[in-house]
């Protein structure tokens, strides 16, 4: 059976927010902190560099028993044998991604409304992103925050695995979990932390509600 | 056997230079003008739109007997059953692309020096782009023009199919062909022409040297 998402932290890379550290260095700290789901999301890279980094991350995550997801680039996900791919509403449709990756790889789809949630389930997504919960500057093309209401809808109505995303920080992660979020995605709060291991430990305490 | 490149015009799409016409409308005019190789190259599109356009172009080019190449996006090339993929020096390496597309699809690689030409042959590219021959504003991340000297090197030393590219216009296409170019790629001169059929006819006359 596909292991989709743990009830925990979903970490994403972002070289631009990593205080000058490399993606590999940051991922290494995440894995040492016990992160169990990692998504490679680097929008400004050329594909050749992405492939090199993903090959390294695949080795590291496999060794650590961490699920490895590649954002958008289905070709790279296939080349490195990633566990899955994450796409947005304007990326390749889930059915097209499924055609390429087969039944066993995970497909995650970002959703921003109840309608998109139902559509994601109908299309066969394995999990959904739910957000942006709060305002965020991490993603350039993101829509306005949908707040906790959309999360409530998902929690109360659907069994599909989900990850809450968008503006989640140490100070509000507990609130998101109390609203029923199964898994929380964080970007800047983790990759931008001076001590990533310490930040992950503090996040886990905040989320242990 | 793979049909790689005709000795003719290699047309590329570019919605931004198409005088407000859609990619489909421009491609239709190209195919009516008898274009036999068409590359889909749209850098500013989301993948969902690219897939839709490429599905249409695949139907149109198949009907017209035109070779259809997709720039960069190996996943989209596979999904639409394109004849090939074209990559640049910083995109996925030829070996990785080959792993995904198999032996029968065409792989084109942009090259800018004798060293890159020899490397492309060693890696198993089916054809190479040779350029930029002249200065061009069409591509944002292009290197400085390499002039006709690099074209001379390729013509005189290698049998690999090639396409000269970069700043080729009606007024200089004849010169490029006289230097031995097997095939010329043009972007703005064709997609930006008011009458695409007429421009292709004039280019063919200029290239019949």
């Amino acid at each position: 059976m596909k292991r989709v998402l743990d009830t925990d932290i979903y970490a994403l890379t972002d070289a631009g927010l990593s205080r000058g550290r490399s993606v590999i260095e940051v991922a290494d700290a995440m894995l040492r902190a016990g992160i169990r789901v990692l998504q490679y999301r680097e929008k400004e890279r050329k594909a050749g560099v992405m492939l090199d980094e993903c090959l390294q991350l695949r080795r590291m995550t496999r060794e650590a028993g961490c699920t490895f997801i590649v954002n958008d680039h289905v070709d790279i996900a296939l080349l490195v044998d990633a566990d899955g791919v994450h796409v947005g509403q304007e990326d390749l449709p889930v059915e097209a991604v499924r055609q390429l990756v087969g039944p066993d790889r995970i497909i995650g789809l970002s959703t921003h409304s109840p309608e998109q949630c139902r559509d994601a389930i109908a299309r066969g997504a394995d999990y959904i992103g739910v957000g942006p919960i709060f305002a965020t500057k991490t993603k350039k093309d993101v829509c306005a925050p949908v707040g906790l209401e959309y999360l409530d809808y998902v929690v109360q109505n659907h069994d599909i695995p989900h990850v809450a995303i968008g503006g989640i920080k140490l100070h509000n992660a507990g609130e998101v979990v109390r609203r029923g979020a199964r898994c929380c995605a964080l970007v800047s709060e983790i990759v931008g932390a001076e001590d990533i291991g310490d930040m992950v430990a503090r996040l886990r305490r905040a989320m242990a509600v």
Side-chain angles (χ1 to χ4, degrees), chain A:
Chain A
M1 222 196 91
K2 261 189 281 202
R3 190 182 85 181
V4 176
L5 289 183
D6 285 310
T7 310
D8 188 47
I9 294 168
Y10 182 122
L12 291 93
T13 70
D14 193 323
L17 300 172
S18 298
R19 298 172 167 253
R21 296 170 294 196
S22 74
V23 168
I24 304 303
E25 192 181 344
V26 166
D28 182 61
M30 287 170 169
L31 295 173
R32 278 188 285 109
I35 288 292
R36 294 198 293 266
V37 188
L38 174 65
Q39 182 189 129
Y40 178 82
R41 188 175 75 182
E42 298 297 335
K43 299 281 188 186
E44 311 297 322
R45 294 279 206 272
K46 295 295 252 173
V49 174
M50 285 190 199
L51 178 62
D52 286 344
E53 290 182 339
C54 284
L55 282 168
Q56 288 185 70
L57 293 180
R58 171 69 291 188
R59 275 194 298 272
M60 293 161 62
T61 50
R62 186 161 276 150
E63 209 164 293
C66 172
T67 299
F68 181 51
I69 307 278
V70 174
N71 186 265
D72 284 3
H73 297 268
V74 181
D75 36 20
I76 294 175
L78 289 171
L79 285 168
V80 307
D81 191 26
D83 298 303
V85 184
H86 187 95
V87 289
Q89 290 288 324
E90 296 183 298
D91 297 321
L92 292 177
V94 171
E95 299 88 335
V97 179
R98 183 67 72 200
Q99 198 179 321
L100 292 170
V101 305
D104 295 335
R105 260 180 261 267
I106 299 165
I107 301 178
L109 175 61
S110 299
T111 67
H112 317 294
S113 66
E115 192 187 348
Q116 289 181 355
C117 169
R118 293 187 295 265
D119 182 63
I121 294 167
R123 287 165 177 261
D126 293 299
Y127 76 87
I128 55 172
V130 173
I133 304 291
F134 307 114
T136 170
K137 288 179 187 165
T138 303
K139 277 199 83 176
K140 279 183 194 158
D141 53 352
V142 88
C143 66
V146 297
L148 290 158
E149 291 67 31
Y150 173 43
L151 176 63
D152 289 342
Y153 166 83
V154 174
V155 169
Q156 290 161 20
N157 294 282
H158 297 285
D159 290 331
I160 187 169
H162 65 261
V163 51
I165 187 165
I168 302 176
K169 307 274 178 190
L170 183 58
H171 70 85
N172 59 24
E175 184 188 0
V176 177
V177 172
R178 277 191 297 274
R179 292 293 272 254
R182 176 190 167 118
C183 180
C184 290
L186 296 97
V187 189
S188 56
E189 194 77 325
I190 298 180
V191 302
E194 210 170 311
D195 183 335
I196 288 173
D198 177 63
M199 175 54 76
V200 170
R202 289 162 72 194
L203 281 166
R204 286 212 168 110
R205 284 196 295 275
M207 289 167 65
V209 288

